[in-house]
Amino acid sequence: MSTTPADDLVRTAELMEAAGGYAVRLLEGLAERPAARAPVRPEPRPLPLAGAGTSAAMAEFAARWEPGFAASAGPRYLGFVTGGSTPASVVGDWLTGVLDQNPTSGLDSTAPDLERETVAWLRELFGLPAGQQGAFVSGATMSNATGLAIGREWLGEQRGVSVADEGVAALGPVRVLSGSAHSSIGKALALLGLGRSALRKVDVLPGREAVDVSRLAEALAELDGAPAIVVANAGTVNTGDFDDLAAIAALRERFPFWLHVDAAFGAFAALSPGHAHLVAALGAADSICADLHKWLNVPYDSAVQFTHRRDLQARVFQNHAAYLGPLGEEPDPVHLTPENSRRLRALAAWFTLAAYGREGHAEIVGRDLALAARLGERIAAMPGYRLLAPVRLNVVCFTLSGDPARVDEVARAITASGEAFLTTTVYDGVPALRAAFSNWRTTEADVERVAAVLEKVSA
Ligand SMILES: Cc1ncc(COP(=O)(O)O)c(C=O)c1O
């Protein structure tokens, strides 16, 4: 006989207690769990005909799947740009599932208002002006896509068409200019029908990933007054470099363009007194992307997008239906983002901001910045490695002093040690390793452990 949800319902307290105990054991073991695993898939199992209940499912997950899971929320997982989950955000995330709100519309619940409050808190955290309004999306890729979709509508406005109504063919060819665009920009352009080839790389400053603003001005001048999109980068993924946002924004006095800023993790520079100047002009952007499952340390998936042209945003994403209610003065989230139904992602972010405030999150950012700088110093002093760029923010980009082609081998050896997880890249044509600090748990002792494994594997 199959177990039904109703059978489990009468055991809710017992099941929650068991799940809580299991979660606590996982969290307590996180720092010593291998940072990453070389994936070995468990033997596939067919769909169970009869269910065995939640306790049995938990036991099976713990035996078959959990051992292969990485400590990606742990302190020495420095691959990609990966945040962990603060205790408050985990609680908020659990309650998201428990309450299971769909903040699509405000017809039944205050959940959309909680999202609005959280967006307003984030706006304040990043020092953005009140005119920048936003909504939650699944990640920086979706945030970039949303910002570019609004930019696409703005291009239509300049040319006297509505792309949302008439389709992208009515727009004609579009030029998107950027110095060191993240790969997700190409994906967004493909998704939006603008095409990956619309993206033109503009020269960067010598030895930098930041765009050369005079070359950007030249590229815009070549467009002969045709409106364009500029994607500025605040925190590049290889070296954490920043475009000069103020100088780029000032170019709008001379050329017509939509300024989208990918500040996926760079937006958090606003929390560091020594780095805030890098994003002081962020609020001048037309659309902004900031990821939250990175440096805010909330569970996947979570990001926010901002724009000061909510009218264009609603034109793109409006989802009129008699049963959903009117668009109204303050459109519900259903009219603002690519999804209709969606989880109340904002709750985890709300919890961590309510629990730790600006100061708590500034402490995380400040510590990660100091730790990245520390690892940079340690690597610079190691004969086996050389830094490829100064540590500008939270990413340490380096290669082997001997044969850079060995970086994959070295990355595998680091993973196999279980001590740390770093990802590889190619920076300015050189195969490289990256260590990105955005986890709230990482300490100086962790940096020493990472430095020790780096020394060992390069020997
Ligand atoms: C600068 C930048 N933009 C966009 C992204 C894409 O983020 P996500 O994977 O959350 O969609 C990343 C991810 O590392 C990033 O660093």
Side-chain angles (χ1 to χ4, degrees), residues 80-81 138-142 144 182-184 233-237 262-265 289 291 293-294 300 302-303 434:
F80 314 107
V81 183
S138 60
T141 301
M142 226 4 113
N144 280 330
H182 185 265
S183 51
S184 58
N233 301 294
T236 56
V237 78
D262 180 352
F265 58 95
C289 151
D291 226 339
H293 52 220
K294 291 184 166 67
Y300 289 101
S302 190
R434 300 166 56 257

Side-chain angles (χ1 to χ4, degrees), residues 119 166 186 216 243 315 336 358 362 398 456:
V119 170
E166 297 166 52
L216 178 61
D243 287 349
R315 209 195 280 170
L336 296 175
R358 187 190 166 84
F398 60 105
K456 195 165 155 206

Side-chain angles (χ1 to χ4, degrees), residues 293-311:
H293 52 220
K294 291 184 166 67
W295 229 345
L296 192 67
N297 279 268
V298 296
Y300 289 101
D301 47 23
S302 190
V304 65
Q305 60 72 220
F306 292 98
T307 183
H308 67 95
R309 288 297 307 270
R310 178 157 274 191
D311 58 325

